[in-house]
Amino acid sequence: MTELPAIRSLRDGAACAIRAADLDVKTLLTQEVARRWSARGLSLRSPLDTQVPDRPGRPEKPDLIPPRQVPKRALTTEKGRVALLHAIAHIELNAVDLALDIVARFASEPVPISFFDGWMRVAFEEAKHFRLVRDRLRQLGADYGDLPAHDGLWQAAHDTRNDLTARLAVVPLILEARGLDVTPALQAKMREAGDLESAAVLDVIYEDEKGHVAVGAKWFRFLCARQKKDPAAAFQALVRANFRGPLKAPFNDIARAEAGLTPSFYRSMTASVNT
């Protein structure tokens, strides 16, 4: 049985989970903190809290390389499907730390307690996703760490570490929303290749991610309303200031709108960011 550290508060537990390099400890601790917080068994903060790290704890593997150097493989082969699952595992691992970071780093923000309820549910589900994908990799004779991966996702967290509204614009409303755009095609390709087990894992992730984007959109709109700003205009200004590269079509407009992210946010920005 994996031994978990003592948890002083929500912020402390989230910071400890971010710091954990052992991925079993990271995911189990994340879910334990979420359970205790949901049961109101933790305070929000303590003077003795672990400091929030600038970078999350990671095992020695995978090697991190620039995004353009990550090889692309066809999903018609098992090697290709393993490569895709490995990339998804890496995304989900980063998503665990991103959800924890928004809780720990912004624990002193003047927001309702329900803000932290939403993000700890997201963290719990991202930990579940990582374990589902890792289990599927192991069934295919592979494991997380076997292939190289890139570090672009955490860079987005680092770049928005001092601005909660910018963090919400970039992480859930761009990066997580991108998952809603690309996952349906990946689900279909997995089924076409006869890999129904991997497709079933993607089904779980896709349904949960709609809720994660919705949490981001809810709190982005809340902060904009408090600041008396138009949310679509504020989103566009924050993206121009904090995101590198254009927003990529095609967009899953229906799933995005269901999550509260309407086309007025992103349609005009498809190729105009940072130009």
Side-chain angles (χ1 to χ4, degrees):
M1 185 175 174
T2 305
E3 188 169 336
L4 301 179
I7 304 167
R8 299 183 183 95
S9 71
L10 176 64
R11 180 172 62 183
D12 182 69
C16 287
I18 296 168
R19 285 181 175 274
D22 181 311
L23 301 185
D24 289 329
V25 171
K26 185 185 291 288
T27 52
L28 290 170
L29 181 57
T30 296
Q31 294 192 321
E32 180 61 19
V33 172
R35 288 188 196 98
R36 291 195 201 177
W37 174 252
S38 178
R40 295 297 184 255
L42 293 172
S43 63
L44 178 57
R45 302 182 299 270
S46 161
L48 302 175
D49 286 346
T50 300
Q51 188 171 358
V52 184
D54 284 335
R55 290 191 62 82
R58 288 285 185 270
E60 289 185 10
K61 294 286 186 178
D63 295 325
L64 296 179
I65 60 177
R68 290 174 185 172
Q69 293 180 19
V70 178
K72 291 180 170 58
R73 295 184 175 93
L75 297 187
T76 49
T77 68
E78 186 170 293
K79 274 191 175 181
R81 294 193 293 278
V82 165
L84 173 67
L85 289 167
H86 191 278
I88 292 171
H90 187 65
I91 290 168
E92 297 300 330
L93 177 60
N94 276 277
V96 175
D97 287 314
L98 287 167
L100 293 168
D101 188 81
I102 205 170
V103 168
R105 191 169 302 279
F106 298 103
S108 297
E109 288 281 323
V111 291
I113 288 296
S114 55
F115 173 90
F116 301 102
D117 295 344
W119 287 110
M120 285 312 299
R121 177 174 61 80
V122 171
F124 184 97
E125 290 176 352
E126 302 291 18
K128 174 185 73 176
H129 297 167
F130 176 76
R131 288 215 295 269
L132 282 171
V133 180
R134 191 176 196 183
D135 287 348
R136 181 61 188 143
L137 279 170
R138 287 170 169 167
Q139 289 166 7
L140 293 170
D143 199 359
Y144 177 69
D146 288 353
L147 298 171
H150 70 81
D151 200 34
L153 292 169
W154 188 256
Q155 188 62 46
H158 184 75
D159 290 348
T160 57
R161 64 193 181 282
N162 297 319
D163 185 338
L164 177 57
T165 314
R167 171 67 63 86
L168 291 169
V170 171
V171 175
L173 302 189
I174 294 180
L175 300 180
E176 292 240 31
R178 186 66 184 147
L180 301 184
D181 302 334
V182 302
T183 303
L186 297 177
Q187 291 167 295
K189 286 178 181 177
M190 286 291 192
R191 289 193 166 88
E192 286 169 16
D195 191 343
L196 302 184
E197 295 87 350
S198 296
V201 171
L202 294 181
D203 292 346
V204 173
I205 293 173
Y206 180 66
E207 291 305 316
D208 287 348
E209 295 295 346
K210 292 178 188 176
H212 300 177
V213 177
V215 171
K218 170 186 173 179
W219 291 109
F220 184 80
R221 289 176 181 277
F222 170 88
L223 292 175
C224 288
R226 193 163 69 182
Q227 297 163 17
K228 296 183 170 55
K229 291 180 178 178
D230 174 73
F235 173 78
Q236 290 165 16
L238 287 163
V239 171
R240 288 191 181 96
N242 294 281
F243 189 70
R244 302 167 187 182
L247 306 190
K248 295 177 182 176
F251 301 111
N252 186 341
D253 290 330
I254 294 174
R256 283 169 169 253
E258 286 173 350
L261 186 59
T262 52
S264 61
F265 276 71
Y266 55 86
R267 274 289 173 192
S268 65
M269 305 192 72
T270 305
S272 64
V273 180
N274 290 354
T275 59

